[in-house]
Amino acid sequence: MPTRILPAVGDADAVRSVTTLLSQLPDAEPVAPVVDSTQLIDTLARLAAESVDELPEVVVVHERIGPVPALELIREVALRFPAVGVILVTSDAGPGLFQAAMDSGARGLVALPLSYEELANRVQAVAQWSVGVRRHLGHTGDVFTGVGGTVVTVSGAKGGVGATVTAVQLALASQASGRSTALVDMDLQTGDVASYLDVQFRRSVVDLAAITDISPRVLADAVFRHDTGVALLLAPGEGERGEEVTDRATRQIVSALRSRYETVVIDCGAQMSGASAAAVEMADRALLVTTPDVVAVRGAKRTVRMWDRLQIRKAEETTVVVNRHSRVTEIQPSLVQKITGTPVAATAVPANFKELQGAVDAGRLHELDSRSTVKQALWGLAGELGLVKAPEGDRKGSRLRGDRGAVSFRRRKDGGG
């Protein structure tokens, strides 16, 4: 049986060199190379959704792959696709990098310039390992074959625009529809998710920052299971400890959550850090919440441009959510879209803080009255983003589990909440 090998190489010259040598290996079947980390994960996810047997036995990752660093990419592949063996191709074959590659989940390391004999030996060994793992997993059935959960980040154009309320309600809507959901407070210094949901906690996202291999048991110990069913990974009680959560740690944490939950909502707050930037870069959907006033919209524009300059997120890949919308304000969603250069969510959240004040002051945002127009708009936004499961039967009149009010996910014609 031929060994399917998927090269992940970003540099054009390196692509030719790697693919040429791979094609010369005995019983090798190189497939079309992928040029960046996103394309690699998407390709593997698509194949895994069909069957584990469709996955290549070997993935060859070049050290100059991007935008996700090679070791972080290897860790995500090993976590999400445990039946795939990964080989790192690098110019640094020293013991330090070798140990780091093994810790990340690589099954082998090949030094540059490539040697036919060394590459052939590594590919053969890794392919045999992959076949053995699949045979074992085939008997136990314990293999993750899904494409991974949907990760949504919620950031604020400035403080006080409602990013946390938005993140909490999106997570509640997703969980109520039957999707397993995690809510992460990545506003590391001033996070308020715990206050909004009236929870006392001992562990936080910081407890995962120094762990290189986040197993399901370790992850379960760190999250807090809320009464609503949402799994909470909270910001540290001591804000200064937020510095311990690096961008690398964030990538590991988000990858672990994505593999265990169907929806992962991350509250990134209004201040950008390395951790929040990594989360936004990894997200399937990145939301930026603003209010329809000059200062907030300028802040949204500034954030969008900064993300673009730092190659965190392109403007067209960011969705702006207009909170506290009113028809009498001069700044309407269409103007926000023109100013920021981003798509704007069709669902605008109405300006009606009086509905929220009692639940917010009591720290019981999850008990917000279902008749609240704010809640209906935010749960409608969850439907627009695809974070809810379509109810069985007549969808128009269906209710979400755990909610007393009927919330339809049909968009309103006027675009309001």
Side-chain angles (χ1 to χ4, degrees), residues 113-403:
L114 291 175
S115 160
Y116 173 87
E117 184 175 351
E118 183 182 12
L119 183 61
N121 289 337
R122 279 292 89 213
V123 167
Q124 182 180 15
V126 173
Q128 290 175 351
W129 172 87
S130 176
V131 170
V133 169
R134 293 177 197 212
R135 186 179 301 115
H136 173 71
L137 293 176
H139 290 300
T140 64
D142 183 20
V143 60
F144 177 73
T145 59
V147 298
T150 300
V151 176
V152 177
T153 56
V154 184
S155 306
K158 69 179 188 66
V161 296
T164 300
V165 171
T166 300
V168 169
Q169 290 297 330
L170 290 179
L172 291 174
S174 177
Q175 180 70 35
S177 78
R179 291 171 65 103
S180 59
T181 302
L183 174 60
V184 185
D185 196 344
M186 201 61 75
D187 188 0
L188 297 172
Q189 294 185 340
T190 58
D192 285 321
V193 168
S195 298
Y196 277 113
L197 295 176
D198 190 28
V199 297
Q200 302 293 325
F201 63 98
R202 292 184 302 105
R203 299 197 180 278
S204 71
V205 66
V206 171
D207 294 296
L208 296 177
I211 299 176
T212 57
D213 184 13
I214 303 177
S215 66
R217 180 183 295 274
V218 169
L219 187 62
D221 287 341
V223 301
F224 178 91
R225 182 69 62 176
H226 192 257
D227 293 341
T228 59
V230 175
L232 303 178
L233 185 56
L234 300 167
E238 304 81 17
E240 65 274 13
R241 295 199 64 195
E243 296 181 357
E244 299 175 31
V245 184
T246 63
D247 57 341
R248 178 178 180 179
T250 300
R251 294 183 190 281
Q252 297 173 12
I253 293 167
V254 173
S255 295
L257 290 166
R258 190 201 295 268
S259 70
R260 299 298 168 186
Y261 296 94
E262 294 174 89
T263 301
V264 180
V265 180
I266 305 175
D267 178 11
C268 292
Q271 298 295 323
M272 192 183 79
S273 63
S276 63
V280 171
E281 182 182 351
M282 293 182 70
D284 299 293
R285 300 294 298 268
L287 305 184
L288 182 60
V289 181
T290 186
T291 48
D293 58 85
V294 172
V295 175
V297 174
R298 282 179 177 171
K301 181 179 179 180
R302 184 166 56 245
T303 299
V304 169
R305 288 185 172 182
M306 178 172 60
W307 286 355
D308 189 55
R309 287 196 307 272
L310 298 178
Q311 297 183 343
I312 296 171
R313 198 90 185 177
K314 296 180 180 178
E316 58 269 23
E317 297 174 347
T318 302
T319 302
V320 170
V321 177
V322 179
N323 188 23
R324 300 173 197 155
H325 171 257
S326 171
R327 293 190 176 279
V328 300
T329 58
E330 293 186 14
I331 299 179
Q332 293 294 312
S334 57
L335 181 58
V336 174
Q337 181 171 352
K338 183 177 181 181
I339 293 173
T340 60
T342 66
V344 172
T347 304
V349 184
N352 202 341
F353 182 75
K354 289 183 179 180
E355 297 178 351
L356 297 174
Q357 190 164 6
V360 170
D361 290 345
R364 309 288 291 180
L365 193 57
H366 53 290
E367 295 181 354
L368 183 63
D369 195 319
S370 297
R371 293 171 295 182
S372 163
T373 58
V374 174
K375 177 175 180 177
Q376 290 180 15
L378 289 171
W379 285 41
L381 176 63
E384 180 183 335
L385 298 172
L387 302 184
V388 298
K389 285 183 177 179
E392 296 179 1
D394 183 6
R395 301 185 180 186
K396 293 183 179 180
S398 297
R399 299 185 179 197
L400 297 182
R401 294 187 309 180
D403 188 43

Side-chain angles (χ1 to χ4, degrees), residues 24-37:
Q24 297 173 5
L25 299 181
D27 297 324
E29 186 181 301
V31 297
V34 294
V35 298
D36 59 37
S37 56

